[in-house]
Amino acid sequence: MKVAAALALTATMANAFAPLSLNHAISRRSTSLSMAAVTPALIKELREATGAGMMDCKKVLMEFDGDVDAAAEELRKKGLAKADKKASRVAAEGKIAMGKANGRSVLVEVNCETDFVAKDESFSKFADQAATLAASLSGDDVESLMAASVDGSSLEEVRAGLVSKIGENIQVRRIAARGKEGTTTGAYIHMNRIGVLVEIEGGTEELCTDIAMHVAAMNPAYATKDDVPAEDIEKEREILTAQVADSGKPADIVAKMVEGRLNKFLAENCLVSQQYVKTNDRTVGKLLEENGAKMVGFTRLAVGEGIEKKKDDFAAEVAAMAGGGKVDAAPAAPKAEEKASPAEAQSEDEVEVFQLPELRV
């Protein structure tokens, strides 16, 4: 009886584990087939197409049995998720790119988180791609630009893929465009960080470019006196009047002093009244006149202007760590840089631009 019971128990256990062994064998065989389908050449192809890491490529290729297209689509979906997570991070570095089509000149600001990425070839290519596409569109709306098609994908999908590849928040921030029938446009970009568009009636594109270089260096507040808002003139007149109110001079003399200083203010801050920086022997207005041209307007963009930037106090962090303490909180980010009033001095960046070799005679 005991022998019979032992034999019966053995048979029962064998039957119970037989399906598990079979399933395990099938699973191992399936895994072997997937690994066999994933060759180093396929991994390399997927990496070059997506920029994803080697292990990520291998994993997703195994998941899709070596189907590169399906694997690339899956990585793109994951890249979109990564892009969403990085979208809240401050991106104040980047590049100003230029595009031109059908007499229309366009500047596009594309931002990233670090100046290292701003110099990356893939990032630079994307910025140039965005500017070229923007020039072919009729408006200057970022949302429409991101929805536009490029190489079979939307520009937004291309951006998300680049975020996945590089690992930083990348954003197309703004577009500036100039040019219409009967006008001439030209552009100048300084070190990928400052971009200027100039539009004139008559003249040549080369003339526009020369004037754009002047704008990059001197950063005038207005193109002509007619462009100065009336409220700005009244505000400046009030300031100047207050400055000479206690001079003790007669009212009519004070009025003449105020008007004289106001005219000087306008001359210094209107493009056409400024001394042309490349020759310093004539005003920009005179340069336009000599070339049979008339100023229409200009647009100047600088990378990151107006964006709040986090400023880390590394000295405080090191001191706290050395003292065994903890840094309670990150220092508050400084307020967004406000555009300097016309009467204020040029910023450090603008002074640096003025001193650069390209702008010397």
Side-chain angles (χ1 to χ4, degrees):
M1 292 292 292
K2 291 181 178 181
V3 174
L7 291 172
L9 180 59
T10 302
T12 301
M13 292 179 66
N15 290 332
F17 285 101
L20 179 62
S21 300
L22 179 60
N23 289 337
H24 183 62
I26 292 173
S27 177
R28 288 185 62 185
R29 183 170 179 271
S30 177
T31 302
S32 298
L33 288 173
S34 295
M35 292 183 68
V38 179
T39 63
L42 286 177
I43 295 174
K44 180 181 179 183
E45 180 182 350
L46 185 59
R47 287 194 69 190
E48 291 177 349
T50 64
M54 183 176 69
M55 294 308 297
D56 289 336
C57 290
K58 181 177 180 181
K59 182 179 178 181
V60 75
L61 280 169
M62 289 178 62
E63 182 180 347
F64 289 93
D65 296 326
D67 188 332
V68 175
D69 293 335
E73 183 66 24
E74 180 67 14
L75 285 174
R76 179 176 292 176
K77 292 177 181 177
K78 292 180 179 179
L80 289 172
K82 290 181 180 180
D84 290 340
K85 290 179 180 179
K86 291 178 172 63
S88 62
R89 291 172 11 187
V90 176
E93 297 295 333
K95 174 181 179 178
I96 303 291
M98 177 188 68
K100 187 165 186 177
N102 303 319
R104 185 170 181 264
S105 296
V106 172
L107 295 178
V108 175
E109 180 184 356
V110 183
N111 297 124
C112 57
E113 297 177 44
T114 64
D115 58 354
F116 178 79
V117 168
K119 300 173 184 176
D120 178 79
E121 183 178 353
S122 298
F123 175 83
S124 182
K125 180 180 178 182
F126 171 74
D128 292 338
Q129 195 174 37
T132 300
L133 184 59
S136 68
L137 303 177
S138 58
D140 55 1
D141 178 61
V142 173
E143 185 176 347
S144 299
L145 172 62
M146 301 311 293
S149 178
V150 54
D151 296 333
S153 302
S154 70
L155 189 64
E156 172 60 24
E157 290 174 332
V158 177
R159 182 199 69 84
L162 188 60
V163 171
S164 177
K165 176 181 178 180
I166 292 180
E168 283 196 8
N169 182 20
I170 296 171
Q171 297 291 335
V172 176
R173 184 187 178 201
R174 52 182 172 167
I175 305 169
R178 280 193 172 274
K180 57 186 177 182
E181 186 176 354
T183 65
T184 305
T185 61
Y188 171 71
I189 295 180
H190 185 73
M191 298 181 68
N192 294 330
R193 295 190 60 83
I194 296 175
V196 179
L197 295 176
V198 169
E199 183 178 6
I200 60 177
E201 292 179 356
T204 63
E205 183 177 344
E206 290 73 20
L207 177 61
C208 288
T209 301
D210 284 341
I211 296 175
M213 291 176 66
H214 173 98
V215 174
M218 302 307 294
N219 193 15
Y222 317 101
T224 68
K225 292 181 180 180
D226 294 336
D227 297 323
V228 184
E231 54 268 26
D232 286 4
I233 293 179
E234 287 306 313
K235 181 179 179 181
E236 191 65 25
R237 181 178 279 111
E238 289 177 8
I239 294 173
L240 294 173
T241 301
Q243 290 175 354
V244 299
D246 299 329
S247 64
K249 299 182 182 298
D252 58 332
I253 300 299
V254 168
K256 290 180 180 180
M257 291 173 61
V258 169
E259 290 305 312
R261 295 185 183 185
L262 184 60
N263 289 332
K264 182 180 179 182
F265 163 80
L266 293 173
E268 290 176 348
N269 292 284
C270 292
L271 171 60
V272 295
S273 303
Q274 291 181 337
Q275 286 294 111
Y276 180 45
V277 73
K278 287 185 71 174
T279 61
N280 207 35
D281 61 354
R282 73 196 86 174
T283 64
V284 173
K286 185 65 175 177
L287 176 67
L288 287 166
E289 184 182 336
E290 291 173 355
N291 288 273
K294 180 181 178 182
M295 174 58 58
V296 174
F298 70 88
T299 303
R300 185 182 190 274
L301 301 182
V303 169
E305 59 186 354
I307 299 178
E308 290 189 3
K309 301 178 184 179
K310 180 180 177 182
K311 187 175 181 180
D312 297 316
D313 190 345
F314 294 110
E317 292 183 18
V318 171
M321 293 173 64
K326 296 187 296 181
V327 179
D328 294 333
K335 293 182 179 180
E337 297 177 1
E338 297 180 356
K339 184 176 180 180
S341 67
E344 292 176 347
Q346 303 291 324
S347 69
E348 292 180 2
D349 285 343
E350 293 160 353
V351 172
E352 179 185 1
V353 173
F354 177 72
Q355 295 175 343
L356 288 171
E358 296 100 305
L359 302 183
R360 294 177 180 171
V361 180

